Amino acid sequence: MTRNIADIRRDYEGGQLDEAQVTDDPMQLFEEWLALALESEGLDGNAMTLATADNQGRPHARVVLLKGIDEQGFVFYTNYHSHKGSELTNVPHAALTFWWPSLARQVRIEGRVEEVSEQESDDYFASRPRASQLGAWIATQSVVIPDRTWIEERQARFEQAYEGQQIPRPVHWGGYRVIPEMVEFWQGQPSRLHDRIRFERRDGDWHHFRLAP
């Protein structure tokens, strides 16, 4: 590497985030921010870092896609037998982070996790492109495989098996919902004097307050 990464920096600029102007419901504010992010970030606007922990307390993080949001929480879909699925079975709590550089905005979310209903998973699976539906059968996610040829051969077998047929949802594939207990909104500001508004759920109600940068 020829560039000194310690010298890489930017001065963040964005609209002010004032606690007196935000809604009492963080889900409503998040939807407003997400709508802007989808316009400014394009197809990456719903990308989020998902952090889980194994049964020894070691954290693991990866980028996944937000595929649903409602008053209950944030929904994503995956293989239940994957590393993250196994971790969520043992430790049903997770953290999400959204980063939208064009807006100089970040949202952090923490909460407990539960599987969505089978009907929700079925409905979403049915809406996926056929190639993605096949992919849920082809990919035994997180399992060690010998090479790329293994995937291609498995793909050919499943394409043949379901040729001319509707593809059912695998029982090992479905959705999770992160039910938020904390949501923090971060708006970048010049000189690193950022705006941070945190929401915490206490006894079923949301309370928000400002944090120092």
Side-chain angles (χ1 to χ4, degrees):
M1 182 182 294
T2 59
R3 191 172 181 185
N4 185 352
I5 60 173
D7 292 334
I8 299 174
R9 57 179 53 85
R10 61 178 281 196
D11 205 16
Y12 296 98
E13 294 185 13
Q16 289 190 336
L17 178 59
D18 190 332
E19 65 269 34
Q21 298 174 337
V22 302
T23 173
D24 290 333
D25 182 0
M27 303 301 287
Q28 180 181 336
L29 180 57
F30 178 85
E31 290 195 47
E32 294 173 4
W33 277 33
L34 178 62
L36 290 175
L38 292 173
E39 293 180 5
S40 63
E41 303 287 343
L43 297 178
D44 294 323
N46 63 328
M48 61 186 185
T49 298
L50 165 68
T52 55
D54 61 27
N55 55 13
Q56 295 182 6
R58 294 176 298 192
H60 304 270
R62 76 289 287 165
V63 176
V64 299
L65 298 177
L66 177 70
K67 287 298 182 178
I69 178 173
D70 55 29
E71 66 279 359
Q72 293 178 279
F74 305 83
V75 176
F76 66 94
Y77 292 85
T78 189
N79 186 317
Y80 289 141
H81 296 167
S82 64
H83 284 169
K84 55 184 168 297
S86 297
E87 289 157 6
L88 289 171
T89 296
N90 293 316
V91 185
H93 294 270
L96 307 174
T97 301
F98 292 85
W99 167 236
W100 299 311
S102 65
L103 298 172
R105 284 179 171 178
Q106 175 182 248
V107 181
R108 296 176 54 239
I109 298 153
E110 297 173 358
R112 61 185 177 87
V113 181
E114 64 181 19
E115 292 184 10
V116 304
S117 69
E118 291 189 6
Q119 187 62 58
E120 286 179 86
S121 290
D122 287 341
D123 290 345
Y124 175 70
F125 188 83
S127 74
R128 303 182 89 202
R130 185 176 180 84
S132 296
Q133 292 177 337
L134 280 171
W137 285 98
I138 296 165
T140 54
Q141 199 173 65
S142 301
V143 173
V144 176
I145 61 176
D147 49 36
R148 180 73 190 184
T149 301
W150 183 93
I151 299 176
E152 295 169 352
E153 291 175 347
R154 190 173 171 86
Q155 180 179 8
R157 291 200 303 271
F158 276 101
E159 286 177 345
Q160 182 178 13
Y162 286 112
E163 185 176 3
Q165 302 179 44
Q166 186 175 5
I167 302 173
R169 176 179 66 87
V171 294
H172 61 263
W173 189 98
Y176 288 104
R177 177 176 285 105
V178 179
I179 302 170
E181 298 165 353
M182 186 282 291
V183 184
E184 182 182 312
F185 296 86
W186 180 98
Q187 174 67 70
Q189 296 293 346
S191 303
R192 301 295 191 266
L193 300 178
H194 311 305
D195 290 326
R196 295 172 61 193
I197 303 295
R198 174 176 290 195
F199 287 77
E200 291 183 356
R201 197 195 299 267
R202 304 170 188 165
D203 299 324
D205 295 323
W206 285 107
H207 302 266
H208 63 272
F209 46 87
R210 176 177 287 271
L211 296 177

